Amino acid sequence: MTTLTVLPSGKTYDVAAGTTIMKALLAAGESIAQKCGGNASCGSCHIFVTEGRKSISRIQKQENEKLDTLVGIGSKSRLACQAVLGEEPVTVELLTFV
Protein backbone atom coordinates (compact mmCIF):
# COMPACT_ATOMS: atom_id res chain seq x y z
CA MET A 1 0.00 0.00 0.00
CA THR A 2 0.98 3.58 -0.59
CA THR A 3 -0.58 6.98 -0.01
CA LEU A 4 -1.85 9.17 -2.83
CA THR A 5 -2.49 12.84 -2.03
CA VAL A 6 -4.55 14.83 -4.52
CA LEU A 7 -4.22 18.58 -4.93
CA PRO A 8 -5.83 21.07 -4.86
CA SER A 9 -8.32 19.29 -2.54
CA GLY A 10 -5.61 17.86 -0.26
CA LYS A 11 -7.51 14.57 0.07
CA THR A 12 -5.39 11.50 0.82
CA TYR A 13 -6.12 7.92 -0.20
CA ASP A 14 -4.56 4.54 0.58
CA VAL A 15 -3.85 2.79 -2.71
CA ALA A 16 -2.34 -0.57 -3.63
CA ALA A 17 1.12 -0.34 -5.15
CA GLY A 18 1.07 -1.33 -8.83
CA THR A 19 -2.09 0.67 -9.55
CA THR A 20 -2.08 3.41 -12.18
CA ILE A 21 -2.75 6.88 -10.85
CA MET A 22 -5.80 7.01 -13.14
CA LYS A 23 -7.35 3.87 -11.65
CA ALA A 24 -6.56 5.06 -8.12
CA LEU A 25 -8.20 8.44 -8.73
CA LEU A 26 -11.32 6.92 -10.26
CA ALA A 27 -11.64 4.33 -7.47
CA ALA A 28 -11.43 7.16 -4.93
CA GLY A 29 -14.21 9.08 -6.67
CA GLU A 30 -11.99 11.87 -7.99
CA SER A 31 -12.92 13.45 -11.32
CA ILE A 32 -10.29 13.27 -14.04
CA ALA A 33 -10.64 13.60 -17.80
CA GLN A 34 -10.19 10.34 -19.69
CA LYS A 35 -11.08 10.38 -23.36
CA CYS A 36 -9.04 7.45 -24.68
CA GLY A 37 -9.67 4.84 -21.99
CA GLY A 38 -6.12 4.85 -20.66
CA ASN A 39 -4.25 4.28 -23.91
CA ALA A 40 -1.97 7.35 -23.73
CA SER A 41 -3.42 8.61 -26.99
CA CYS A 42 -5.34 11.73 -25.92
CA GLY A 43 -3.38 13.43 -23.13
CA SER A 44 -6.54 14.50 -21.28
CA CYS A 45 -5.36 12.89 -18.02
CA HIS A 46 -2.25 15.09 -17.86
CA ILE A 47 -1.30 15.71 -14.20
CA PHE A 48 1.67 17.09 -12.28
CA VAL A 49 3.41 14.75 -9.83
CA THR A 50 4.56 17.21 -7.19
CA GLU A 51 6.05 14.73 -4.71
CA GLY A 52 7.20 11.12 -4.93
CA ARG A 53 8.17 11.08 -8.61
CA LYS A 54 10.87 8.49 -7.96
CA SER A 55 8.24 6.11 -6.60
CA ILE A 56 6.23 5.88 -9.83
CA SER A 57 7.04 4.01 -13.01
CA ARG A 58 9.41 5.52 -15.56
CA ILE A 59 8.00 7.27 -18.58
CA GLN A 60 7.73 4.91 -21.54
CA LYS A 61 8.04 5.88 -25.20
CA GLN A 62 4.29 6.16 -25.94
CA GLU A 63 3.65 8.42 -22.93
CA ASN A 64 6.69 10.57 -23.69
CA GLU A 65 5.62 11.04 -27.30
CA LYS A 66 2.11 12.13 -26.21
CA LEU A 67 3.48 14.54 -23.59
CA ASP A 68 5.65 16.12 -26.29
CA THR A 69 2.49 17.13 -28.15
CA LEU A 70 0.78 18.83 -25.20
CA VAL A 71 0.85 22.48 -24.17
CA GLY A 72 1.88 23.33 -20.61
CA ILE A 73 3.97 20.27 -19.81
CA GLY A 74 6.92 20.41 -17.46
CA SER A 75 9.36 18.17 -15.63
CA LYS A 76 6.58 17.03 -13.27
CA SER A 77 4.14 16.13 -16.05
CA ARG A 78 2.75 12.61 -16.39
CA LEU A 79 -0.27 10.93 -17.89
CA ALA A 80 -2.31 9.48 -15.03
CA CYS A 81 -3.26 6.48 -17.16
CA GLN A 82 0.40 5.46 -17.59
CA ALA A 83 2.02 6.30 -14.23
CA VAL A 84 2.06 3.25 -11.95
CA LEU A 85 2.35 3.82 -8.20
CA GLY A 86 5.19 2.27 -6.21
CA GLU A 87 5.57 1.88 -2.45
CA GLU A 88 6.36 5.49 -1.49
CA PRO A 89 3.76 8.25 -0.97
CA VAL A 90 2.90 10.34 -4.04
CA THR A 91 1.27 13.77 -4.39
CA VAL A 92 -0.41 14.75 -7.63
CA GLU A 93 -1.98 17.98 -8.83
CA LEU A 94 -5.05 17.66 -11.02
CA LEU A 95 -4.91 20.20 -13.82
CA THR A 96 -8.47 19.99 -15.10
CA PHE A 97 -11.77 19.35 -13.44
CA VAL A 98 -14.55 17.32 -15.01
Side-chain angles (χ1 to χ4, degrees):
M1 292 295 275
T2 190
T3 302
L4 177 64
T5 302
V6 181
L7 301 176
S9 70
K11 293 180 181 177
T12 301
Y13 305 99
D14 290 327
V15 180
T19 304
T20 65
I21 292 175
M22 170 76 79
K23 287 181 182 176
L25 291 169
L26 293 173
E30 292 283 345
S31 293
I32 183 165
Q34 51 167 338
K35 296 177 183 174
C36 71
N39 294 312
S41 61
C42 72
S44 65
C45 66
H46 175 219
I47 58 170
F48 285 142
V49 179
T50 58
E51 292 181 31
R53 287 184 289 155
K54 291 184 180 181
S55 180
I56 59 177
S57 60
R58 298 182 133 220
I59 293 178
Q60 300 299 310
K61 182 179 179 182
Q62 183 179 7
E63 179 182 5
N64 195 45
E65 288 175 352
K66 177 47 67 180
L67 286 170
D68 283 345
T69 69
L70 301 177
V71 174
I73 65 159
S75 62
K76 297 178 182 182
S77 292
R78 291 297 303 263
L79 297 180
C81 68
Q82 300 299 302
V84 178
L85 294 163
E87 297 288 335
E88 300 299 318
V90 173
T91 301
V92 299
E93 181 179 355
L94 300 182
L95 304 176
T96 58
F97 298 98
V98 180

